[in-house]
Amino acid sequence: MTLKAVVFDLDGVITDTAHLHFLAWRAVADEIGITFDEAFNEQLKGISRMDSLQRILKHGGKEGTFSDEQRLALATKKNALYVQSLASLTEDSLLTGIRDVLADIRAAKVKIGLASVSLNAPGILHALGIHQAFDFCADASRICRSKPDPEIFLAACAGLNVRPDAAIGIEDAPAGVEAINAAGMLSVGIGCGLNHAGLQLHSTRELTWKCLTEFWASRTYC
Ligand code: BG6
Ligand code: MG
């Protein structure tokens, strides 16, 4: 089968916003007496805003402490801090290798999709100046379930009009790799702790068109 599409996660794959999410959540958590470190933050990657808050409250033993209204206020505060930190994003904020791999995928006439559960994704793509690189971006506001549910990847494949088994998904989060696998796509994991990915790379520096095509060929013919 020919490779028809490559679907990218955004935060932590295209640009380093994963760290900005962490800083914003940590500031809000501090205010309500909850502390957490980067190791715990790994569990929040790919998880929607409200689900992330739930996990943080549970981690701090405060799951039942806040009303719906208070939880919404905490999530809104986190998002305001996060959006403030996004002001520093420019076209230079793409992770190494991303501009080249997007251009090479396009040149090979393979479709490019985005599967991010971030409601800020459209704004971030514009700030990075790469919104036109995507044939389809799955709309996070229409998704009911966070990763590891495959919903967002399946929505991206449907929007691209390709079968999931003709597509590769790229993720930096354990929940994201799980979502790609559950969608029936081939998974590439960027970073450590992603043993369940079909192909693991240390960083986006290694994410080249050559590496993607070799991975696809090894899977098709072995
Ligand atoms: C994902 C991030 O891409 O988007 C999560 O990995 C984040 O950490 C989620 O919680 C939702 O983002 P936003 O921008 O809608 O709060
Ligand atoms: Mg990510």
Side-chain angles (χ1 to χ4, degrees):
M1 190 185 303
T2 319
L3 174 63
K4 297 273 174 51
V6 180
V7 179
F8 289 78
D9 169 47
L10 173 65
D11 294 314
V13 169
I14 287 177
T15 186
D16 192 19
T17 37
H19 189 64
L20 301 180
H21 277 292
F22 167 61
L23 295 179
W25 274 130
R26 193 176 57 176
V28 170
D30 265 356
E31 286 183 23
I32 54 171
I34 297 177
T35 50
F36 69 92
D37 56 14
E38 296 233 32
F40 173 77
N41 188 61
E42 285 302 304
Q43 295 176 35
L44 305 182
K45 290 183 176 176
I47 308 299
S48 74
R49 196 179 303 166
M50 293 310 289
D51 288 352
S52 295
L53 176 61
Q54 270 311 105
R55 288 190 186 208
I56 291 167
L57 294 178
K58 190 172 177 198
H59 174 72
K62 299 197 174 184
E63 221 178 345
T65 310
F66 299 95
S67 65
D68 286 355
E69 208 169 72
Q70 288 171 319
R71 284 204 301 272
L72 191 60
L74 289 169
T76 304
K77 187 183 275 187
K78 178 267 174 176
N79 192 53
L81 290 172
Y82 175 64
V83 168
Q84 219 174 346
S85 68
L86 291 178
S88 60
L89 282 191
T90 68
E91 297 188 5
D92 294 332
S93 311
L94 284 178
L95 284 169
T96 308
I98 293 296
R99 191 179 300 286
D100 287 344
V101 79
L102 287 173
D104 291 346
I105 297 169
R106 166 77 54 225
K109 298 193 181 347
V110 169
K111 290 178 180 172
I112 303 176
L114 189 83
S116 170
V117 297
S118 171
L119 297 166
N120 291 298
I124 294 173
L125 292 184
H126 272 88
L128 296 170
I130 54 163
H131 51 291
Q132 282 169 339
F134 294 85
D135 297 295
F136 185 78
C137 297
D139 183 349
S141 68
R142 291 175 185 271
I143 299 304
C144 303
R145 298 176 295 277
S146 288
K147 299 165 187 175
D149 191 283
E151 189 180 16
I152 189 90
F153 281 98
L154 292 174
C157 289
L160 291 168
N161 200 23
V162 302
R163 285 172 37 169
D165 62 358
I168 290 178
I170 304 174
E171 264 289 349
D172 68 316
V177 170
E178 220 178 304
I180 297 171
N181 293 342
M185 301 163 70
L186 209 53
S187 57
V188 175
I190 309 285
C192 41
L194 301 172
N195 302 333
H196 53 320
L199 175 68
Q200 271 195 94
L201 303 176
H202 289 108
S203 80
T204 53
R205 211 174 281 274
E206 296 168 18
L207 183 66
T208 59
W209 174 237
K210 181 172 178 286
C211 136
L212 289 176
T213 48
E214 284 174 2
F215 175 42
W216 185 259
S218 71
R219 173 259 196 187
T220 306
Y221 303 118
C222 68

